[in-house]
Amino acid sequence: MNRSSSHSGGRPQPATMKDVARVAGVALKTVSRVVNDEPGVSPPVRKKVKAVIAELGYRRNDNARVLRIGTTHSIGFICEDLGEPFVSQLIRAIESVSIENSSMLIVAATGGDLEREQEAVRALASRQVDGLIIAPTAHEQPYLGRELGNGLPVVFVDRPSLHHQVDAVLTDNHAGAQMATRQLLQYGHRRIAFFSNADQLFTQVERIDGYRQALSAEGAPFDEALVCSASGNPGATLASLQKMLALAEPVTAAITGDSLCTYALLRAFKAVGRHLPLIGFDDFPLADLLEPGISVIEQNPFDIGRVATQLLFRRIAGDTSPPQTIKLGTRLIQRGSGEVGLPINS
Amino acid sequence: MNRSSSHSGGRPQPATMKDVARVAGVALKTVSRVVNDEPGVSPPVRKKVKAVIAELGYRRNDNARVLRIGTTHSIGFICEDLGEPFVSQLIRAIESVSIENSSMLIVAATGGDLEREQEAVRALASRQVDGLIIAPTAHEQPYLGRELGNGLPVVFVDRPSLHHQVDAVLTDNHAGAQMATRQLLQYGHRRIAFFSNADQLFTQVERIDGYRQALSAEGAPFDEALVCSASGNPGATLASLQKMLALAEPVTAAITGDSLCTYALLRAFKAVGRHLPLIGFDDFPLADLLEPGISVIEQNPFDIGRVATQLLFRRIAGDTSPPQTIKLGTRLIQRGSGEVGLPINS
DNA sequence: CCATTCGCTGACAACGTTGTACGTTTTAAA
DNA sequence: TTTAAAACGTACAACGTTGTCAGCGAATGG
């Protein structure tokens, strides 16, 4: 059979070490030594082998290698949607740290479906990834026990695992929301709305909780009527806003749970012809160019990814200290030259 | 040695088919048949084997499988920066089509370094990916010959390969820029600037070329002084803009080469206190909420990724028709209620 | 001159899986 | 009952690589 590189139709069979050995007239193991830069091969033989390798276009088959060696030098990343800006920065960081540790990155999206999440974990585990980074969809990962039991290192990002003792790297959502709320309270606001898009989502729950806690710490009443939890939908956001403005004690400021909510609320502001002081979770491009500029609580997805991946590689290297949860701080970026602090009704 | 799942310290050895066979008291191949749902195993035996699999937490080792079967069911994606919004949508599409074809996606970033690009191709090829999607950094891929010779299917996205006969899926940058230019010309503009961020980049070259061609088709002179090619840098953009405004025949409208340029130019507008009619390449969130709304030429990175990946899987399936270049159209999104069409100097 | 070391090379088994070939038992048809 | 075929089960070799060990000649030491 033709095992050479370029000529003849069909998909040519790539050359193997055996082929190289045969053509070079040496033993298989000698080729292996040359390929892996191992000592014990005389310069002339080494040169000859290298020439044949180039001639045949030989490339080492890492799958066979893995079978022998045991480690794949690859990690997996599982999330809901690879297209989100937050995830995009996560991936960038994960890949970058991964390459530093000479590993490759396999990504998988679940679309928020728990079954696909399980399927992804199964597939990645079958491929013998050295470790897994998961931005989980749900609170529970019933399928994860087997993998953890098999010793697969796993780090959660953005959201924790509630039922497994696993490393997690999260944003300090609670503190971030508190910071935003306190800021608005400090400028005299008492009727602060919270626009969230999914009130069962961990990050959103934490943020609403921080908001709530900051309110009560300042003696401001928490009002269910000032919480909108369908803010992914622009229509629902507008309706909510109108309702809140029509209250006996109308809303005077707002916090949004993520950038989609911020977008939706900004559109609602435009629709009602009125702009309220607003602090949004997540920074977004051009936030400073809008009139007024939008203040935000900035998370740092790149850092989350970086820290998580570094932790993962420590686990892969054998670190068996107890699982830890790392919370990364947020930053309040004030924009709009004090808009946030405008007195009520201005 | 302990090959069971959970107890005992250290990293436990995962169970193998051999272990399952031994514990279940059947032959290796019988376990293989059960695992792969092949016929030829009686229900009681099948049940017994499944029970042992669950008991030992056995999981098939796909690397060994690959060695036998030959196909890894994985594809690779190589780009400059995994964090770009454009790339993010590409990945989303590629992963999605990949999963439909029961393949996983391995991603690699090059940071624009040709050597790392080569390294990534080498690594992915060594891992025996079934195919490769590349958003190339440079015009040349000197290293690619070996892989193509070895029969590795490759599809380029966003930018073509100039020296290899390879499939490519691109945006019709030329037509998009022409469309934008014609639109501005139609409203009477003759002094249209082009703000690009890298004039040697394929996409930017194409766009400038389209712009240039549309100008000359309408008898409008092309003026080197109206082209800024360092527009990634906000400072340079501002300086350019000021220079263009100070010309004897000053600029009256602008086209930007990508969203970063758009951002930079918008900031420059703000800095000089003057807003020119603008059509930007690439849509961006909130473009409609700015005052005035920003018109854009919209590309569709998701479609590019989808089409490219579908093409790749056709190649993987054995399609040997000649390499093709697919250009996807753009769409002009008009915003700002006619701002684009405002007469000069309004 | 023999014994020992050293540098180089090769034969072979193993990694975990699947395809092939061939037994053995059960079932159905003659 | 006999015969054929189906159903079930097993043994073995291969996929491409690397670790182990042994062999060989030459150089070194006594």
Side-chain angles (χ1 to χ4, degrees):
Chain A
M1 302 299 157
N2 171 29
R3 279 180 161 275
S4 101
S5 59
S6 45
H7 46 88
S8 106
R11 198 80 59 80
Q13 287 292 329
T16 73
M17 272 192 183
K18 211 190 236 172
D19 298 318
V20 176
R22 188 168 30 75
V23 174
V26 300
L28 192 57
K29 180 66 206 193
T30 300
V31 179
S32 172
R33 281 198 259 260
V34 172
V35 168
N36 296 300
D37 273 325
E38 285 171 22
V41 181
S42 65
V45 173
R46 195 176 288 270
K47 192 175 163 197
K48 167 69 176 164
V49 170
K50 280 190 172 165
V52 174
I53 286 176
E55 177 196 341
L56 298 186
Y58 167 76
R59 168 135 311 161
R60 186 176 65 189
N61 181 332
D62 275 346
N63 279 295
R65 176 164 219 260
V66 160
L67 192 57
R68 244 342 289 233
I69 303 292
T71 172
T72 56
H73 283 289
S74 63
I75 64 174
F77 172 62
I78 299 174
C79 67
E80 212 168 302
D81 179 358
L82 292 162
E84 289 172 20
F86 186 91
V87 169
S88 173
Q89 292 307 309
L90 268 181
I91 293 181
R92 193 163 75 95
I94 295 171
E95 197 272 349
S96 136
V97 176
S98 190
I99 279 295
E100 283 168 21
N101 291 77
S102 49
S103 280
M104 304 223 79
L105 175 62
I106 308 179
V107 299
T110 66
D113 180 9
L114 200 58
E115 200 157 329
R116 277 173 63 190
E117 183 168 304
Q118 166 161 15
E119 195 42 58
V121 170
R122 186 202 307 279
L124 287 166
S126 276
R127 272 153 205 267
Q128 315 288 106
V129 290
D130 299 332
L132 220 44
I133 296 181
I134 306 181
T137 286
H139 294 303
E140 319 213 357
Q141 298 77 35
Y143 53 84
L144 206 60
R146 168 186 293 196
E147 315 309 336
L148 296 173
N150 273 344
L152 180 69
V154 174
V155 175
F156 277 60
V157 289
D158 196 36
R159 307 163 205 169
S161 170
L162 297 187
H163 297 297
H164 289 287
Q165 288 282 339
V166 190
D167 292 310
V169 180
L170 317 170
T171 292
D172 194 341
N173 297 292
H174 206 274
Q178 278 192 315
M179 175 158 52
T181 312
R182 268 203 303 269
Q183 173 80 3
L184 290 169
L185 285 167
Q186 196 176 319
Y187 283 112
H189 294 282
R190 296 268 132 182
R191 302 293 287 165
I192 304 170
F194 195 107
F195 288 82
S196 142
N197 63 7
D199 53 1
Q200 74 284 15
L201 203 65
F202 172 80
T203 52
Q204 297 295 318
V205 171
E206 288 261 294
R207 287 168 197 180
I208 293 179
D209 203 52
Y211 150 78
R212 195 168 184 159
Q213 208 161 307
L215 284 180
S216 71
E218 301 289 327
F222 170 77
D223 186 348
E224 197 65 63
L226 290 179
V227 174
C228 165
S229 51
S231 181
N233 174 346
T237 304
L238 176 54
S240 263
L241 176 62
Q242 286 170 325
K243 224 178 276 174
M244 292 178 190
L245 284 169
L247 289 174
E249 291 184 90
V251 59
T252 66
I255 297 174
T256 48
D258 69 13
S259 53
L260 282 185
C261 297
T262 307
Y263 297 168
L265 186 56
L266 287 174
R267 284 182 222 290
F269 283 166
K270 193 169 191 182
V272 302
R274 174 124 184 252
H275 190 96
L276 298 179
L278 160 66
I279 301 182
F281 242 95
D282 290 351
D283 198 10
F284 56 94
L286 299 191
D288 59 322
L289 273 191
L290 291 170
E291 285 299 341
I294 306 300
S295 298
V296 297
I297 299 290
E298 182 195 45
Q299 300 187 74
N300 202 328
F302 187 88
D303 277 352
I304 292 182
R306 192 173 46 76
V307 169
T309 313
Q310 286 165 344
L311 179 52
L312 182 66
F313 277 105
R314 281 206 300 280
R315 295 301 186 188
I316 291 173
D319 178 353
T320 55
S321 56
Q324 48 185 303
T325 295
I326 301 176
K327 289 200 180 183
L328 269 56
T330 55
R331 198 163 61 100
L332 171 62
I333 304 180
Q334 299 226 28
R335 296 205 180 94
S337 52
E339 290 292 333
V340 166
L342 282 184
I344 302 175
N345 294 334
S346 75
Chain B
M1 292 297 140
N2 170 30
R3 277 180 164 274
S4 100
S5 60
S6 46
H7 46 89
S8 107
R11 200 78 61 83
Q13 287 292 331
T16 71
M17 272 193 183
K18 213 191 235 170
D19 300 316
V20 175
R22 188 168 33 73
V23 174
V26 299
L28 192 58
K29 180 68 204 191
T30 301
V31 179
S32 172
R33 281 199 259 259
V34 172
V35 168
N36 296 300
D37 274 324
E38 285 172 21
V41 182
S42 65
V45 173
R46 194 175 289 269
K47 195 177 159 194
K48 168 69 177 162
V49 170
K50 280 190 174 167
V52 174
I53 287 177
E55 178 196 339
L56 297 186
Y58 167 77
R59 171 135 309 162
R60 185 177 66 191
N61 182 331
D62 274 347
N63 279 295
R65 176 165 221 259
V66 161
L67 192 56
R68 240 349 283 238
I69 303 294
T71 170
T72 56
H73 283 289
S74 64
I75 65 173
F77 171 63
I78 299 174
C79 66
E80 213 167 302
D81 180 357
L82 293 163
E84 288 172 21
F86 186 90
V87 170
S88 173
Q89 292 307 308
L90 267 182
I91 293 182
R92 193 161 74 94
I94 294 170
E95 198 271 350
S96 136
V97 176
S98 191
I99 280 295
E100 283 168 22
N101 292 75
S102 49
S103 281
M104 305 223 77
L105 175 63
I106 307 178
V107 299
T110 66
D113 180 9
L114 200 58
E115 201 156 328
R116 277 172 62 193
E117 182 168 304
Q118 165 161 13
E119 195 42 57
V121 170
R122 184 201 308 279
L124 287 165
S126 277
R127 273 153 203 266
Q128 315 287 108
V129 291
D130 299 332
L132 220 45
I133 296 180
I134 305 180
T137 286
H139 294 304
E140 319 213 357
Q141 296 77 35
Y143 52 84
L144 207 59
R146 169 187 293 197
E147 316 308 337
L148 296 173
N150 273 343
L152 180 69
V154 174
V155 176
F156 277 61
V157 289
D158 196 37
R159 306 164 205 168
S161 172
L162 297 186
H163 295 299
H164 289 286
Q165 289 281 338
V166 190
D167 292 308
V169 180
L170 317 169
T171 292
D172 193 341
N173 297 293
H174 206 274
Q178 278 191 316
M179 175 158 52
T181 312
R182 269 201 304 267
Q183 174 80 1
L184 290 168
L185 286 166
Q186 195 176 322
Y187 284 109
H189 294 281
R190 295 269 131 185
R191 301 294 288 164
I192 304 169
F194 195 106
F195 288 82
S196 143
N197 64 7
D199 55 0
Q200 75 282 17
L201 204 65
F202 172 79
T203 52
Q204 298 294 319
V205 170
E206 288 261 296
R207 288 169 196 178
I208 293 179
D209 203 54
Y211 150 80
R212 194 167 184 159
Q213 208 162 309
L215 283 180
S216 73
E218 302 289 326
F222 169 78
D223 185 348
E224 197 65 63
L226 291 179
V227 174
C228 166
S229 50
S231 180
N233 174 346
T237 305
L238 176 55
S240 262
L241 176 63
Q242 285 170 325
K243 221 177 278 172
M244 292 178 189
L245 285 169
L247 290 173
E249 290 184 273
V251 59
T252 67
I255 296 174
T256 48
D258 69 15
S259 53
L260 282 186
C261 297
T262 308
Y263 297 166
L265 186 55
L266 287 174
R267 285 182 220 289
F269 283 165
K270 193 170 189 180
V272 302
R274 178 131 179 247
H275 190 98
L276 298 179
L278 160 66
I279 300 182
F281 240 95
D282 287 353
D283 199 7
F284 56 94
L286 298 191
D288 58 324
L289 275 190
L290 292 169
E291 287 297 341
I294 307 300
S295 298
V296 298
I297 298 291
E298 180 196 46
Q299 300 187 73
N300 201 328
F302 187 88
D303 277 352
I304 293 183
R306 190 172 49 76
V307 170
T309 314
Q310 286 165 343
L311 179 52
L312 182 66
F313 277 104
R314 282 207 298 280
R315 294 301 186 190
I316 291 173
D319 177 354
T320 55
S321 55
Q324 48 184 305
T325 295
I326 301 176
K327 289 199 180 182
L328 268 55
T330 55
R331 197 161 62 98
L332 171 61
I333 303 180
Q334 298 225 28
R335 296 205 180 95
S337 53
E339 290 291 332
V340 166
L342 281 184
I344 301 175
N345 292 335
S346 77

